[in-house]
Coordinates of all heavy atoms in Angstrom, one line a residue:
M555 N 7.0 -21.0 -1.6 CA 5.7 -20.4 -1.9 C 4.9 -21.4 -2.7 O 3.8 -21.7 -2.3 CB 5.9 -19.1 -2.7 CG 4.7 -18.4 -3.0 SD 5.1 -16.8 -3.7 CE 3.8 -16.5 -4.7
F556 N 5.4 -21.9 -3.8 CA 4.7 -22.8 -4.6 C 5.1 -24.3 -4.4 O 4.6 -25.2 -5.0 CB 4.7 -22.5 -6.1 CG 4.0 -21.2 -6.4 CD1 4.7 -20.1 -6.8 CD2 2.7 -21.1 -6.3 CE1 4.1 -18.9 -7.2 CE2 2.0 -19.9 -6.6 CZ 2.7 -18.8 -7.0
N557 N 6.2 -24.4 -3.7 CA 6.8 -25.8 -3.4 C 7.1 -26.5 -4.6 O 6.7 -27.6 -4.9 CB 5.8 -26.6 -2.5 CG 6.4 -27.2 -1.4 OD1 7.6 -27.1 -1.2 ND2 5.7 -28.0 -0.6
V558 N 7.9 -25.9 -5.5 CA 8.3 -26.4 -6.8 C 9.7 -27.1 -6.6 O 10.6 -26.4 -6.2 CB 8.4 -25.4 -7.9 CG1 8.8 -26.0 -9.2 CG2 7.0 -24.7 -8.1
G559 N 9.8 -28.4 -6.9 CA 11.0 -29.1 -6.8 C 11.8 -28.9 -8.1 O 11.4 -28.3 -9.1
P560 N 13.1 -29.5 -8.1 CA 13.9 -29.4 -9.2 C 13.4 -30.1 -10.5 O 13.5 -29.5 -11.6 CB 15.2 -30.0 -8.8 CG 15.0 -30.6 -7.5 CD 13.7 -30.2 -7.0
M561 N 12.7 -31.2 -10.4 CA 12.2 -31.9 -11.5 C 11.0 -31.1 -12.2 O 11.0 -31.0 -13.4 CB 11.7 -33.3 -11.1 CG 12.8 -34.3 -10.9 SD 13.9 -34.4 -12.3 CE 12.8 -35.2 -13.5
E562 N 10.2 -30.5 -11.3 CA 9.1 -29.7 -11.9 C 9.6 -28.4 -12.6 O 9.1 -28.0 -13.6 CB 8.1 -29.2 -10.8 CG 7.3 -30.4 -10.2 CD 7.9 -31.0 -9.0 OE1 9.0 -30.6 -8.6 OE2 7.4 -32.0 -8.5
L563 N 10.7 -27.9 -12.0 CA 11.3 -26.7 -12.7 C 11.9 -27.0 -14.0 O 11.7 -26.3 -15.0 CB 12.3 -26.1 -11.7 CG 12.9 -24.8 -12.1 CD1 11.9 -23.7 -12.2 CD2 14.0 -24.4 -11.1
I564 N 12.5 -28.2 -14.1 CA 13.1 -28.6 -15.4 C 12.0 -28.8 -16.4 O 12.1 -28.4 -17.6 CB 14.0 -29.9 -15.2 CG1 15.2 -29.5 -14.4 CG2 14.3 -30.5 -16.5 CD1 16.1 -30.7 -14.0
V565 N 10.9 -29.5 -16.0 CA 9.8 -29.7 -17.0 C 9.2 -28.4 -17.4 O 8.9 -28.2 -18.6 CB 8.7 -30.6 -16.3 CG1 7.5 -30.6 -17.1 CG2 9.3 -32.0 -16.0
V566 N 9.0 -27.4 -16.5 CA 8.5 -26.1 -16.9 C 9.4 -25.4 -17.9 O 9.0 -24.8 -18.9 CB 8.2 -25.3 -15.7 CG1 7.9 -23.8 -16.0 CG2 7.1 -25.8 -14.8
L567 N 10.7 -25.4 -17.6 CA 11.7 -24.8 -18.5 C 11.7 -25.5 -19.9 O 11.8 -24.8 -20.9 CB 13.1 -24.8 -17.9 CG 13.2 -23.9 -16.7 CD1 14.6 -24.0 -16.1 CD2 13.0 -22.4 -17.1
L568 N 11.6 -26.8 -20.0 CA 11.6 -27.5 -21.2 C 10.3 -27.2 -22.0 O 10.4 -26.9 -23.3 CB 11.7 -29.0 -21.0 CG 13.1 -29.5 -20.7 CD1 13.0 -31.0 -20.3 CD2 14.1 -29.2 -21.8
V569 N 9.2 -27.1 -21.4 CA 7.9 -26.7 -22.0 C 8.0 -25.3 -22.6 O 7.6 -25.0 -23.7 CB 6.7 -26.9 -21.1 CG1 5.5 -26.3 -21.7 CG2 6.5 -28.4 -20.8
A570 N 8.6 -24.4 -21.8 CA 8.7 -23.0 -22.2 C 9.7 -22.9 -23.4 O 9.4 -22.2 -24.3 CB 9.2 -22.2 -21.0
L571 N 10.7 -23.7 -23.4 CA 11.7 -23.7 -24.5 C 11.0 -24.2 -25.8 O 11.2 -23.6 -26.8 CB 12.9 -24.6 -24.1 CG 14.0 -24.6 -25.2 CD1 14.6 -23.2 -25.4 CD2 15.1 -25.6 -24.7
L572 N 10.2 -25.2 -25.7 CA 9.5 -25.7 -26.8 C 8.4 -24.8 -27.3 O 8.2 -24.6 -28.5 CB 8.9 -27.1 -26.5 CG 9.8 -28.3 -26.3 CD1 9.1 -29.5 -25.8 CD2 10.6 -28.5 -27.6
V573 N 7.7 -24.2 -26.4 CA 6.6 -23.3 -26.8 C 7.1 -22.0 -27.4 O 6.7 -21.5 -28.5 CB 5.7 -23.0 -25.7 CG1 4.7 -21.9 -26.0 CG2 5.0 -24.3 -25.3
V574 N 8.1 -21.3 -26.7 CA 8.6 -20.0 -27.1 C 9.7 -20.1 -28.1 O 9.8 -19.3 -29.0 CB 9.0 -19.2 -25.8 CG1 9.6 -17.9 -26.2 CG2 7.8 -19.1 -24.9
G575 N 10.6 -21.0 -27.9 CA 11.8 -21.1 -28.8 C 13.0 -20.5 -28.1 O 12.9 -19.7 -27.2
P576 N 14.2 -21.0 -28.6 CA 15.4 -20.5 -27.9 C 15.8 -19.1 -28.1 O 16.4 -18.5 -27.3 CB 16.5 -21.4 -28.5 CG 15.9 -21.9 -29.8 CD 14.4 -21.9 -29.7
K577 N 15.3 -18.5 -29.2 CA 15.7 -17.1 -29.4 C 14.9 -16.1 -28.6 O 15.4 -15.1 -28.1 CB 15.5 -16.7 -30.9 CG 16.4 -17.4 -31.8 CD 16.2 -17.0 -33.3 CE 17.2 -17.7 -34.2 NZ 17.0 -17.3 -35.6
R578 N 13.6 -16.4 -28.3 CA 12.8 -15.5 -27.6 C 12.7 -15.8 -26.1 O 12.1 -15.0 -25.3 CB 11.4 -15.4 -28.2 CG 11.3 -14.8 -29.5 CD 10.0 -14.5 -30.0 NE 9.2 -13.8 -29.0 CZ 7.9 -13.9 -28.8 NH1 7.2 -14.7 -29.6 NH2 7.3 -13.2 -27.9
L579 N 13.2 -16.9 -25.7 CA 13.1 -17.3 -24.3 C 13.7 -16.3 -23.3 O 13.1 -16.0 -22.3 CB 13.8 -18.7 -24.1 CG 13.5 -19.4 -22.7 CD1 12.1 -19.6 -22.5 CD2 14.3 -20.7 -22.6
P580 N 14.9 -15.8 -23.5 CA 15.4 -14.7 -22.6 C 14.6 -13.5 -22.5 O 14.3 -12.9 -21.4 CB 16.8 -14.4 -23.1 CG 17.2 -15.5 -24.0 CD 15.9 -16.1 -24.5
E581 N 14.0 -13.1 -23.7 CA 13.1 -11.9 -23.7 C 11.9 -12.2 -22.9 O 11.4 -11.3 -22.1 CB 12.8 -11.6 -25.1 CG 11.9 -10.4 -25.3 CD 11.5 -10.2 -26.8 OE1 12.3 -10.6 -27.6 OE2 10.3 -9.8 -27.0
V582 N 11.3 -13.3 -23.0 CA 10.1 -13.7 -22.3 C 10.4 -13.8 -20.8 O 9.6 -13.3 -20.0 CB 9.5 -15.0 -22.8 CG1 8.4 -15.5 -21.9 CG2 9.0 -14.8 -24.2
G583 N 11.5 -14.3 -20.5 CA 11.9 -14.4 -19.0 C 12.1 -13.1 -18.4 O 11.6 -12.9 -17.3
R584 N 12.7 -12.1 -19.1 CA 12.8 -10.8 -18.6 C 11.5 -10.1 -18.4 O 11.2 -9.4 -17.4 CB 13.7 -9.9 -19.5 CG 15.2 -10.1 -19.3 CD 16.0 -9.1 -20.1 NE 15.9 -9.2 -21.5 CZ 16.6 -10.0 -22.3 NH1 17.6 -10.7 -21.7 NH2 16.5 -10.1 -23.6
S585 N 10.6 -10.3 -19.4 CA 9.3 -9.6 -19.3 C 8.5 -10.2 -18.1 O 7.8 -9.5 -17.4 CB 8.5 -9.7 -20.6 OG 8.2 -11.1 -20.9
I586 N 8.6 -11.5 -18.0 CA 7.9 -12.2 -16.8 C 8.5 -11.7 -15.5 O 7.7 -11.4 -14.5 CB 7.9 -13.7 -16.9 CG1 7.1 -14.2 -18.1 CG2 7.5 -14.3 -15.6 CD1 7.2 -15.7 -18.4
G587 N 9.8 -11.5 -15.4 CA 10.4 -11.0 -14.2 C 10.0 -9.6 -13.9 O 9.7 -9.3 -12.7
K588 N 9.9 -8.7 -14.9 CA 9.5 -7.4 -14.7 C 8.0 -7.3 -14.2 O 7.7 -6.5 -13.3 CB 9.6 -6.5 -16.0 CG 11.0 -6.2 -16.4 CD 11.1 -5.4 -17.6 CE 12.5 -5.1 -18.1 NZ 12.5 -4.3 -19.3
S589 N 7.2 -8.2 -14.9 CA 5.8 -8.2 -14.5 C 5.6 -8.6 -13.0 O 4.8 -8.1 -12.3 CB 5.0 -9.1 -15.4 OG 5.1 -8.7 -16.7
L590 N 6.4 -9.6 -12.6 CA 6.3 -10.1 -11.2 C 6.8 -9.0 -10.2 O 6.2 -8.9 -9.2 CB 7.1 -11.4 -11.0 CG 6.5 -12.6 -11.7 CD1 7.5 -13.8 -11.5 CD2 5.2 -13.0 -11.0
R591 N 7.9 -8.3 -10.6 CA 8.4 -7.2 -9.7 C 7.3 -6.1 -9.6 O 7.1 -5.6 -8.5 CB 9.7 -6.6 -10.3 CG 10.9 -7.4 -9.9 CD 12.1 -6.5 -10.2 NE 12.2 -6.2 -11.6 CZ 12.8 -6.9 -12.5 NH1 13.5 -8.0 -12.2 NH2 12.9 -6.4 -13.7
E592 N 6.7 -5.7 -10.7 CA 5.7 -4.7 -10.6 C 4.5 -5.2 -9.8 O 3.9 -4.4 -9.0 CB 5.2 -4.3 -12.0 CG 6.3 -3.5 -12.8 CD 5.8 -3.2 -14.2 OE1 4.6 -3.3 -14.5 OE2 6.7 -2.9 -15.0
F593 N 4.1 -6.4 -10.0 CA 2.9 -6.9 -9.2 C 3.3 -7.0 -7.7 O 2.4 -6.6 -6.9 CB 2.6 -8.4 -9.7 CG 1.5 -9.0 -8.9 CD1 0.2 -8.6 -9.2 CD2 1.7 -10.0 -8.0 CE1 -0.9 -9.2 -8.5 CE2 0.7 -10.6 -7.3 CZ -0.6 -10.2 -7.6
R594 N 4.5 -7.4 -7.4 CA 4.9 -7.4 -6.0 C 4.9 -6.0 -5.4 O 4.5 -5.8 -4.3 CB 6.3 -8.1 -5.8 CG 6.7 -8.3 -4.4 CD 8.0 -9.0 -4.3 NE 7.9 -10.4 -4.9 CZ 8.8 -11.0 -5.4 NH1 10.0 -10.5 -5.5 NH2 8.6 -12.2 -5.9
R595 N 5.5 -5.1 -6.1 CA 5.5 -3.7 -5.7 C 4.1 -3.1 -5.5 O 3.8 -2.4 -4.5 CB 6.3 -2.8 -6.7 CG 7.1 -1.7 -6.1 CD 7.9 -1.0 -7.1 NE 9.1 -1.7 -7.5 CZ 9.6 -1.8 -8.7 NH1 9.1 -1.2 -9.7 NH2 10.7 -2.5 -8.9
A596 N 3.2 -3.4 -6.4 CA 1.8 -2.9 -6.3 C 1.1 -3.5 -5.1 O 0.4 -2.8 -4.3 CB 1.0 -3.2 -7.5
T597 N 1.3 -4.8 -4.8 CA 0.7 -5.4 -3.7 C 1.3 -4.9 -2.4 O 0.5 -4.8 -1.4 CB 0.8 -7.0 -3.7 OG1 2.2 -7.3 -3.8 CG2 0.0 -7.6 -4.9
E598 N 2.6 -4.6 -2.3 CA 3.2 -4.0 -1.1 C 2.6 -2.6 -0.9 O 2.3 -2.3 0.3 CB 4.7 -3.9 -1.3 CG 5.4 -5.2 -1.2 CD 5.3 -5.9 0.2 OE1 5.4 -5.1 1.2 OE2 5.2 -7.1 0.2
E599 N 2.4 -1.8 -1.9 CA 1.8 -0.5 -1.8 C 0.4 -0.6 -1.2 O 0.0 0.2 -0.4 CB 1.8 0.3 -3.1 CG 3.2 0.7 -3.5 CD 3.2 1.4 -4.8 OE1 2.1 1.7 -5.4 OE2 4.3 1.7 -5.3
V600 N -0.4 -1.5 -1.8 CA -1.8 -1.7 -1.3 C -1.8 -2.2 0.1 O -2.6 -1.6 0.9 CB -2.5 -2.7 -2.2 CG1 -3.9 -3.1 -1.6 CG2 -2.7 -2.1 -3.6
R601 N -0.9 -3.1 0.5 CA -0.9 -3.6 1.8 C -0.5 -2.5 2.8 O -1.1 -2.3 3.9 CB 0.1 -4.7 2.0 CG 0.1 -5.3 3.4 CD 1.0 -6.5 3.6 NE 1.6 -7.1 2.5 CZ 2.6 -7.8 2.5 NH1 3.2 -8.1 3.6 NH2 3.1 -8.4 1.4
Y602 N 0.5 -1.7 2.4 CA 1.0 -0.6 3.2 C -0.1 0.5 3.4 O -0.4 0.9 4.6 CB 2.2 0.1 2.6 CG 2.6 1.3 3.4 CD1 3.3 1.2 4.6 CD2 2.4 2.6 2.9 CE1 3.7 2.3 5.3 CE2 2.8 3.7 3.6 CZ 3.5 3.6 4.8 OH 3.9 4.7 5.5
S603 N -0.8 0.8 2.4 CA -1.9 1.8 2.5 C -3.1 1.3 3.3 O -3.7 2.0 4.1 CB -2.4 2.3 1.1 OG -3.0 1.2 0.5
F604 N -3.4 0.0 3.2 CA -4.4 -0.6 4.0 C -4.0 -0.7 5.5 O -4.8 -0.3 6.3 CB -4.7 -2.1 3.5 CG -5.8 -2.8 4.2 CD1 -7.1 -2.4 4.0 CD2 -5.5 -3.8 5.0 CE1 -8.1 -3.1 4.6 CE2 -6.5 -4.5 5.7 CZ -7.8 -4.1 5.5
E605 N -2.8 -1.1 5.8 CA -2.4 -1.1 7.2 C -2.3 0.3 7.8 O -2.7 0.5 8.9 CB -1.0 -1.8 7.3 CG -1.1 -3.3 7.0 CD 0.3 -4.0 7.0 OE1 1.3 -3.2 7.1 OE2 0.3 -5.2 6.9
S606 N -1.9 1.3 7.0 CA -1.8 2.6 7.5 C -3.2 3.2 7.8 O -3.4 3.9 8.8 CB -1.0 3.5 6.6 OG -1.7 3.7 5.4
S607 N -4.1 2.8 6.9 CA -5.5 3.3 7.2 C -6.1 2.6 8.4 O -6.8 3.3 9.2 CB -6.4 3.1 6.0 OG -6.6 1.7 5.7
L608 N -5.8 1.4 8.6 CA -6.2 0.7 9.8 C -5.6 1.3 11.1 O -6.2 1.5 12.1 CB -5.9 -0.8 9.8 CG -6.8 -1.6 8.8 CD1 -6.3 -3.1 8.8 CD2 -8.2 -1.5 9.2
D609 N -4.3 1.6 11.0 CA -3.6 2.3 12.1 C -4.2 3.6 12.4 O -4.4 4.0 13.6 CB -2.1 2.4 11.8 CG -1.4 1.1 11.9 OD1 -2.0 0.1 12.4 OD2 -0.3 1.0 11.3
D610 N -4.6 4.4 11.4 CA -5.2 5.7 11.6 C -6.5 5.6 12.3 O -6.8 6.4 13.1 CB -5.3 6.5 10.2 CG -4.0 6.9 9.6 OD1 -3.0 6.9 10.4 OD2 -4.0 7.2 8.5
E611 N -7.3 4.6 11.9 CA -8.6 4.4 12.5 C -8.5 4.0 14.0 O -9.2 4.4 14.8 CB -9.4 3.4 11.7 CG -9.9 3.9 10.4 CD -10.7 2.8 9.7 OE1 -10.9 1.8 10.2 OE2 -11.0 3.1 8.5
G612 N -7.4 3.3 14.3 CA -7.2 2.8 15.6 C -6.7 3.8 16.6 O -6.9 3.7 17.8
H613 N -6.1 4.9 16.1 CA -5.5 5.9 16.9 C -6.3 7.1 17.0 O -6.0 8.1 17.7 CB -4.1 6.3 16.4 CG -3.1 5.2 16.6 ND1 -2.6 4.5 15.5 CD2 -2.5 4.7 17.7 CE1 -1.8 3.6 16.0 NE2 -1.7 3.7 17.3
E614 N -7.5 7.2 16.4 CA -8.3 8.4 16.5 C -8.9 8.4 17.9 O -9.3 7.4 18.5 CB -9.4 8.3 15.4 CG -9.0 8.6 14.0 CD -10.1 8.5 13.1 OE1 -11.3 8.4 13.5 OE2 -9.9 8.6 11.9
E615 N -9.0 9.7 18.4 CA -9.6 9.9 19.7 C -10.9 10.4 19.5 O -11.2 11.2 18.6 CB -8.7 10.8 20.5 CG -7.3 10.3 20.8 CD -6.5 11.2 21.6 OE1 -7.0 12.2 22.1 OE2 -5.3 11.0 21.7
P616 N -11.9 10.1 20.4 CA -13.2 10.7 20.3 C -13.2 12.2 20.5 O -12.3 12.7 21.2 CB -14.0 10.0 21.4 CG -13.0 9.5 22.3 CD -11.7 9.2 21.6
D617 N -14.2 12.9 19.9 CA -14.2 14.3 20.1 C -14.6 14.7 21.6 O -15.6 14.2 22.1 CB -15.3 14.9 19.2 CG -14.9 14.8 17.7 OD1 -13.7 14.8 17.5 OD2 -15.8 14.9 16.9
N618 N -13.7 15.4 22.2 CA -13.9 15.8 23.5 C -13.4 17.3 23.6 O -12.3 17.6 23.6 CB -13.1 15.0 24.5 CG -13.5 15.2 25.9 OD1 -14.2 16.1 26.2 ND2 -12.9 14.5 26.9
P619 N -14.4 18.3 23.6 CA -14.0 19.7 23.5 C -13.1 20.1 24.7 O -12.3 21.0 24.5 CB -15.3 20.4 23.4 CG -16.4 19.4 23.7 CD -15.8 18.1 23.6
G620 N -13.2 19.5 25.8 CA -12.4 20.0 26.9 C -11.0 19.5 26.9 O -10.1 20.0 27.6
S621 N -10.6 18.6 26.0 CA -9.3 18.0 26.0 C -8.4 18.5 24.9 O -7.4 18.0 24.6 CB -9.4 16.5 25.9 OG -9.9 16.1 24.7
E622 N -8.9 19.5 24.1 CA -8.1 20.1 23.0 C -6.9 20.8 23.5 O -7.0 21.5 24.6 CB -8.9 21.0 22.1 CG -10.0 20.2 21.3 CD -10.7 21.2 20.4 OE1 -10.1 22.2 20.0 OE2 -11.8 20.9 20.0
Q623 N -5.8 20.7 22.8 CA -4.6 21.4 23.2 C -4.2 22.4 22.2 O -4.6 22.3 21.0 CB -3.4 20.4 23.3 CG -3.6 19.4 24.4 CD -2.5 18.4 24.4 OE1 -1.6 18.4 23.6 NE2 -2.4 17.5 25.4
D624 N -3.5 23.5 22.6 CA -3.1 24.5 21.7 C -1.8 24.2 21.0 O -1.4 24.8 20.1 CB -3.1 25.9 22.4 CG -4.4 26.4 22.8 OD1 -5.4 26.0 22.1 OD2 -4.5 27.1 23.7
D625 N -1.1 23.2 21.5 CA 0.2 22.8 21.0 C 0.0 22.0 19.7 O -1.1 21.5 19.5 CB 1.0 22.0 22.0 CG 1.3 22.8 23.2 OD1 1.3 24.1 23.2 OD2 1.6 22.2 24.3
A626 N 1.1 21.8 19.0 CA 1.1 20.9 17.9 C 0.9 19.5 18.3 O 1.2 19.1 19.5 CB 2.4 21.0 17.1
G627 N 0.3 18.7 17.5 CA 0.0 17.3 17.8 C 1.3 16.5 18.0 O 2.4 17.0 17.7
S628 N 1.2 15.3 18.6 CA 2.4 14.5 18.9 C 3.1 14.1 17.6 O 4.3 13.8 17.6 CB 2.0 13.3 19.7 OG 1.1 12.5 18.9
D629 N 2.4 14.1 16.5 CA 3.1 13.8 15.2 C 3.7 15.0 14.5 O 4.1 14.9 13.4 CB 2.1 13.0 14.3 CG 0.9 13.9 14.0 OD1 0.7 14.9 14.6 OD2 0.1 13.5 13.0
G630 N 3.6 16.1 15.1 CA 4.2 17.3 14.6 C 3.3 18.1 13.6 O 3.7 19.1 13.0
S631 N 2.0 17.7 13.6 CA 1.1 18.4 12.7 C 0.6 19.6 13.4 O 0.7 19.8 14.6 CB -0.1 17.5 12.3 OG -0.8 17.1 13.5
E632 N -0.1 20.5 12.6 CA -0.6 21.7 13.2 C -1.8 21.3 14.1 O -2.5 20.3 13.8 CB -1.1 22.6 12.1 CG -0.1 23.3 11.3 CD -0.6 24.3 10.3 OE1 -1.7 24.9 10.6 OE2 0.0 24.6 9.3
P633 N -2.0 22.1 15.1 CA -3.2 21.9 16.0 C -4.5 22.1 15.2 O -4.5 22.9 14.3 CB -3.0 22.8 17.1 CG -2.2 23.9 16.5 CD -1.3 23.3 15.5
A634 N -5.5 21.5 15.7 CA -6.8 21.7 15.1 C -7.3 23.1 15.4 O -7.2 23.5 16.6 CB -7.8 20.6 15.5
R635 N -7.9 23.7 14.5 CA -8.4 25.1 14.7 C -9.8 25.0 15.2 O -10.6 24.2 14.6 CB -8.3 25.9 13.5 CG -6.8 26.1 13.1 CD -6.7 27.1 12.0 NE -5.3 27.1 11.6 CZ -4.8 28.1 10.9 NH1 -5.6 29.0 10.4 NH2 -3.5 28.1 10.6
R636 N -10.1 25.7 16.2 CA -11.5 25.7 16.7 C -12.4 26.6 15.8 O -12.0 27.6 15.4 CB -11.6 26.3 18.1 CG -10.8 25.4 19.1 CD -10.9 25.9 20.5 NE -10.1 25.2 21.4 CZ -10.1 25.3 22.7 NH1 -10.9 26.2 23.2 NH2 -9.3 24.6 23.4
Q637 N -13.6 26.1 15.7 CA -14.6 26.9 14.9 C -15.2 28.0 15.9 O -15.4 27.7 17.0 CB -15.7 26.0 14.4 CG -15.3 25.0 13.4 CD -15.0 25.6 12.1 OE1 -15.5 26.6 11.8 NE2 -14.1 25.0 11.4
P638 N -15.3 29.2 15.4 CA -15.9 30.2 16.3 C -17.3 29.9 16.6 O -18.0 29.4 15.7 CB -15.7 31.5 15.5 CG -15.6 31.1 14.0 CD -14.9 29.7 14.1
A639 N -17.7 30.3 17.7 CA -19.1 30.1 18.1 C -20.0 31.0 17.3 O -19.6 32.1 16.9 CB -19.3 30.4 19.6
P640 N -21.2 30.5 16.9 CA -22.1 31.4 16.1 C -22.5 32.6 16.9 O -22.8 32.6 18.1 CB -23.3 30.5 15.8 CG -23.2 29.3 16.7 CD -21.8 29.2 17.2
R641 N -22.5 33.7 16.2 CA -22.9 35.0 16.9 C -24.4 35.1 17.0 O -25.1 34.7 16.1 CB -22.4 36.2 16.0 CG -20.9 36.3 16.1 CD -20.4 37.4 15.2 NE -21.2 38.6 15.3 CZ -20.9 39.7 14.6 NH1 -19.9 39.7 13.8 NH2 -21.7 40.7 14.8
R642 N -24.8 35.6 18.1 CA -26.2 35.8 18.4 C -26.5 37.3 18.2 O -25.9 38.1 18.8 CB -26.6 35.4 19.8 CG -26.5 33.9 20.0 CD -27.0 33.6 21.4 NE -26.6 32.3 21.8 CZ -26.8 31.8 22.9 NH1 -27.4 32.5 23.9 NH2 -26.3 30.6 23.2
D643 N -27.4 37.6 17.3 CA -27.8 39.0 17.1 C -28.8 39.4 18.2 O -29.8 38.7 18.4 CB -28.4 39.2 15.8 CG -27.4 39.0 14.6 OD1 -26.2 39.2 14.9 OD2 -27.8 38.6 13.5
E644 N -28.4 40.4 19.0 CA -29.3 40.8 20.0 C -30.3 41.8 19.4 O -29.9 42.7 18.7 CB -28.5 41.5 21.1 CG -27.6 40.5 21.9 CD -26.8 41.1 23.0 OE1 -27.2 42.2 23.4 OE2 -25.8 40.6 23.4
D645 N -31.5 41.6 19.7 CA -32.6 42.5 19.2 C -32.8 43.7 20.1 O -32.7 43.8 21.2 CB -33.9 41.7 19.1 CG -33.8 40.7 18.0 OD1 -33.0 40.9 17.1 OD2 -34.5 39.6 18.1

């Protein structure tokens, strides 16, 4: 992903050891790991919701009153209920 070699990794770890100190380094590493996991999980959720919304838009059918079915939809959902026609009051 970042194309980090072994020498760059050693330099980063040495700088982190000098900046944070040996006592707090494991704690900082755990907190960074948790943050990265939460970020990855959040981005996966956003990607999934975005892709599912795109899939929903792609599968919508245009309104065609003659093609409505009384059966449940192919995904097992309830059928769409028809709106009753407006009543005309006869004078």
